[in-house]
Every structure is written in C-alpha cells, then in structure tokens.
Amino acid sequence: MIRGGVQRAHDAVDSFVAVVDDLAESSLIPLSDDEFVESMLRIETAMRKLAYFGHRLVMGASDRGLPRVPGRSALHKYLVETLNLSKAEAWRRIQATENLVPFLGASGARHEPLLPHTAEAQAAGAISPDHVRTIIATMNRVPASVAAADRELAEQELAAHAREVTPHGMRRLGEAILAHLDPDGKLTSDADRQRRRAITLTSQGVDGMSDGTMTLTPALRALMDVMLAKWARPGMCNPADPESPSATTGPVDPDVVKAAAARDTRTAAQRNHDAFEAFLRAGGPENLGVHRGIPVQVVLTMSVQDVENAAGYATTATGGSVPLGEALRMAQGAHPVLMIFDHRRSMPLHLGVGPRLGNRWQRLARTAIERGCTRPRCDAPATMCQMHHVLGYAQRGPTDIENLTLACDRCHGLITGTDAGWETQVLGEDSEFPGRVAWRAPAHIDPARRWRVNRAHHGEARYVAKRRAPHTGQ
C-alpha cells in the first residue's frame, strides 16, 4: 500500500515534468485568438495552483527536518542552497507557507492554516502569489487586540476581493480595512505616524547625484499626490523638451501636452523628479494651478457617519486615505461643499444639465462617488481621469451627473464605439449595483461579454457592511 503510494508520487512528478517539457517545446501560433486567450487563462490558473503546491513542498521540507541536516541550520538557508533562490525569495516562500498551509503544532497535532480563505483561493488558482503577499502584508498589520471575528472577516474579504482586482488594487482595500479596524487611532495614533515621518538624503556621490528615502505622513502624501498628478504627467515639465509645458497657474493646453507626451521618453520616476524640481522653482503650493478643470488641491471625501462618530478615515482623489482627525485639520479654512446623496445608490440626487464638458462640481461629485476610473480592475485614481459620457454626447447624451463617469486616459481610449472596443452603461434599479456604471469588454477579452463594475475603489464597502451587520441586526 505504502509502496504503491510512493510509486504514484514518482509517476506524478515524472508526468508533470514531461508535460512542462512538452508545453515548452510546443508552438501556440496555430491557435486562433480565442483559443490562445483561453490557453493563457488555463495555464495561468495552473501556475497559481502550482505556486500553492510549492508551499506544501516547503512545509514538507520543514516537517521532515531537512534543514537540520549538518550544514543546513535554517529553513531559508536550506531553500537558498537547494533551490538556488535569493534570500528574499526564500523568505517570501516561507512566509506564504506559514500562513497558507496546515502545520504541525508543538503537540504534534495538525492545525488549519492561519489564512484559510486565502489558501483556498490560491489552491483553486484564482489568485496570484502577488495577491497572497499583499494579503499577508495587510494581515500582519492587524493589531493583536482586534477581535478574532473581525480579523477573520477581514481575511475573508481580502481573499474574495483578490479574485476580482489586481494586487495593486488590493493594497487600497487593505488600507481601508485597517482604517476601519482602528478607526479612532487608539491602536495606531497620530503620534506614531509623526514619530516615523522622515526624509533622508545621502551625501552626494562623485557624480553629484544623491539617493534618499521618505516615510511620509498621510497629509504630506496627499499633498504630493495632487501635485504629481498634474506636473508629473507625460509631457509636463520635461527639461529636455523646450516645448514641454511647465508649472503654471492657468490651464494647460491639452493639445500641447499631448504633443509633448508623444516625445516624452522619461520613466515615471524621472517625471516625478522633474515635477518636484518644477514645483520648488515655482514657489510652492499657491502656484499649483489647475488640473483636469479643477484647482490642484487635496479633495477629501468622508462619510457623515464617520464625522458624527469622530472616527474613521477620509479618501483622497488620488486613491489614498487620511485618518479622519488629520483630514478635518487639513480641511480647516477650506470652503465646504455640500452634496446630497441617495442613501441606497450613493448618487447625488441631482447636479443639473450642463455643456459638453463636465463642470468642476460634477467632477468633484464623481470623485466622491467613484474615487477613480470605473473600468473593471483599473486602479487609476480620480486625478488621472477625465469625464466620460456613458451615452455619447454625439448621441445626445446629456452632460448630467447621471450620464457622466470617470475614466482614465488609457481606459477612455478603449471605448471605440465598435464591437472591437469596450462599452459602458448605467445599471438599472434591478441590478446588484443600481446607478453604478458598468463596462463590457470586447469578445476577444471576455467571450461572455459580461457587464461588470469596478470594485477596486470600493472593496471595503462589503467588508464594512458585513462587520456592522451583527451589531445592527441586519
């Protein structure tokens, strides 16, 4: 019986290696586009399942005591030497294994994984190793004093959300959940954040360049984000291009920026550097000008419930979050804007008909509602978006708040008005998300052509509703 199991394991490994070798030597060129896409999806799912199986191998090596063989004193050293991994990769695999694989306790009993929902999702091939690392990093920041039920719900929602959004989008949900688990700052206080704030520059090297690191408070990060959203755009503040627009208090000609962007070969990091230099040369925040039709300023969105409870956090138009207390301090002296929202649909009750281009107030309203680009899985914040008519203006689509949505430049270009492009529509009252804007991919991306909403900017809503349900009797 045991021998048969040994032979089966040998056969399974041999078969797997043979299949991988055969696939590596095969050509997918004869496949049609639809068959090629299907093959990519199936292979990606298999690779994710295999990543989970890799965690089981790491646990097996630990259970067998292989690292305790003379010369292999630690598990990470054993993986480095045996699998020729970097030390960082070895630690990442160990961390994932410790969270996702059943383990032996001190008594010899087998325990369930620490993150069972994440383990289930990766074992099914639904989430990638990057998703897993993001969830683990978030859960490691949950304070030990948080109730076990809240902690489990947080992990469950993170794992469910990971099936629908990118790893980058997961970070936003993680920050939102952490803010709800510690809404009043008692576990992570403003003093803690202020103590960690730092900008460090090294001495100049022989080439005159300097390296540095930054640990930013939420307030400084929010201010930096809105400055970079305008001045670090492709085509802006390019010192190598005499025609590139620089810092200005007035609007920038979009055609000039577009032309300069076509010539712009800088990386995002280089654009950030040039934007900072232009910002300092221009004299600071009072000269930030306008971006996408509204003044370059921090736009904070917070719920009435959080304000009444003096707890929670505010979201920014750049996709960040600021603790409520700090957000209220930032808002001191600002002109308040009152918008009336429908409770169920989270939509303004009305914000009038306008000209072809959405006005400043409509953009601010859409920023508060949608937070960023509405195409599924896109995590571009509102500051990177333009206003899109769901029913095209050429088709007599009104410039009303109900017919406008946020779409980043890249995603907006995907809406072609043909079957080869993306489509948008406002969902009806009988849908799961009434009033939300849904997108439908072309058939070569999604053969089923399903209408889907973007959950990347609102992942915490489901978590908050579930967390409050036991206390409200819902």
Side-chain angles (χ1 to χ4, degrees):
M1 185 76 174
I2 296 177
R3 184 60 188 170
V6 171
Q7 186 59 48
R8 181 180 178 185
H10 280 303
D11 291 344
V13 173
D14 290 342
S15 298
F16 167 73
V17 174
V19 168
V20 172
D21 289 342
D22 184 46
L23 181 62
E25 296 173 0
S26 301
S27 173
L28 302 183
I29 293 177
L31 299 179
S32 67
D33 287 351
D34 288 345
E35 291 171 334
F36 183 83
V37 172
E38 182 183 3
S39 297
M40 279 202 306
L41 293 172
R42 292 177 62 193
I43 292 173
E44 177 65 22
T45 299
M47 291 173 64
R48 294 176 177 187
K49 291 180 179 180
L50 189 60
Y52 179 78
F53 183 76
H55 305 328
R56 290 172 52 192
L57 293 177
V58 172
M59 184 60 75
S62 178
D63 287 348
R64 289 168 178 264
L66 297 180
R68 291 192 290 273
V69 173
R72 300 167 179 169
S73 58
L75 181 56
H76 76 279
K77 292 182 180 179
Y78 174 76
L79 296 178
V80 168
E81 295 170 2
T82 305
L83 302 180
N84 194 24
L85 303 177
S86 69
K87 186 181 296 185
E89 175 61 20
W91 278 117
R92 281 194 290 266
R93 294 192 186 186
I94 291 172
Q95 185 182 47
T97 298
E98 291 174 342
N99 283 275
L100 303 185
V101 178
F103 60 95
L104 291 174
S107 64
R110 181 68 66 176
H111 295 271
E112 290 301 310
L114 300 177
L115 304 178
H117 302 286
T118 306
E120 180 184 0
Q122 191 180 32
I127 64 176
S128 70
D130 275 346
H131 286 108
V132 170
R133 284 191 285 270
T134 302
I135 294 173
I136 291 175
T138 300
M139 294 304 299
N140 284 344
R141 292 173 57 194
V142 175
S145 57
V146 168
D150 286 339
R151 183 183 183 90
E152 181 182 359
L153 178 59
E155 191 259 330
Q156 180 181 357
E157 287 304 306
L158 285 166
H161 204 59
R163 295 171 181 261
E164 302 170 356
V165 302
T166 65
H168 183 75
M170 288 295 302
R171 296 188 185 97
R172 181 171 299 160
L173 172 62
E175 294 299 329
I177 286 179
L178 289 169
H180 279 282
L181 289 174
D182 183 19
D184 53 10
K186 290 181 179 178
L187 303 179
T188 304
S189 66
D190 185 59
D192 293 331
R193 287 184 286 268
Q194 294 296 328
R195 185 181 66 252
R196 294 180 54 212
R197 74 190 190 279
I199 297 179
T200 304
L201 299 176
T202 65
S203 300
Q204 287 182 286
V206 293
D207 58 356
M209 303 295 284
S210 303
D211 293 327
T213 60
M214 295 188 293
T215 303
L216 308 180
T217 61
L220 179 55
R221 174 59 189 265
L223 291 168
M224 286 175 55
D225 279 345
V226 292
M227 184 273 288
L228 293 174
K230 177 184 178 181
W231 286 7
R233 295 174 61 192
M236 287 289 293
C237 304
N238 188 351
D241 185 355
E243 303 300 322
S244 170
S246 189
T248 176
T249 57
V252 179
D253 187 335
D255 292 333
V256 175
V257 176
K258 184 176 180 180
R263 304 186 297 269
D264 197 341
T265 60
R266 297 173 297 169
T267 65
Q270 290 170 334
R271 295 199 307 270
N272 288 344
H273 173 280
D274 297 341
F276 269 114
E277 182 177 354
F279 170 73
L280 294 174
R281 289 181 181 275
E286 64 275 10
N287 291 320
L288 280 173
V290 297
H291 175 57
R292 296 190 185 274
I294 62 174
V296 176
Q297 60 191 9
V298 178
V299 178
L300 298 171
T301 303
M302 59 192 80
S303 72
V304 173
Q305 183 176 11
D306 285 347
V307 174
E308 290 175 345
N309 295 334
Y313 70 101
T315 59
T316 69
T318 52
S321 62
V322 179
L324 189 68
E326 191 166 357
L328 292 174
R329 287 193 295 273
M330 292 176 66
Q332 288 177 1
H335 296 288
V337 177
L338 175 63
M339 297 182 189
I340 302 175
F341 289 87
D342 175 279
H343 175 69
R344 177 169 178 260
R345 300 174 62 190
S346 296
M347 293 282 291
L349 296 180
H350 188 67
L351 197 54
V353 177
R356 183 178 187 278
L357 299 179
N359 62 37
R360 171 186 178 186
W361 303 110
Q362 289 171 326
R363 170 170 286 280
L364 288 171
R366 274 296 163 193
T367 296
I369 299 163
E370 296 170 338
R371 303 183 184 176
C373 180
T374 53
R375 189 175 74 87
R377 296 185 178 175
C378 180
D379 53 19
T383 48
M384 295 176 60
C385 296
Q386 57 184 285
M387 298 290 276
H388 163 66
H389 286 71
V390 179
L391 175 62
Y393 189 78
Q395 287 75 46
R396 299 186 180 275
T399 308
D400 288 356
I401 192 68
E402 296 87 353
N403 191 49
L404 295 173
T405 190
L406 294 178
C408 70
D409 294 341
R410 174 181 174 276
C411 294
H412 192 258
L414 299 175
I415 305 172
T416 63
T418 67
D419 290 341
W422 288 70
E423 300 177 68
T424 57
Q425 74 168 8
V426 178
L427 296 178
E429 292 294 333
D430 57 344
S431 73
E432 182 183 358
F433 305 101
R436 291 276 297 275
V437 175
W439 292 55
R440 183 166 68 175
H444 69 274
I445 295 178
D446 180 10
R449 304 215 68 197
R450 296 163 295 176
W451 288 102
R452 294 182 297 165
V453 300
N454 190 2
R455 300 175 184 265
H457 307 289
H458 300 273
E460 79 280 5
R462 186 169 53 188
Y463 167 77
V464 173
K466 288 185 177 180
R467 187 167 178 241
R468 288 174 176 169
H471 306 291
T472 59
Q474 297 177 353

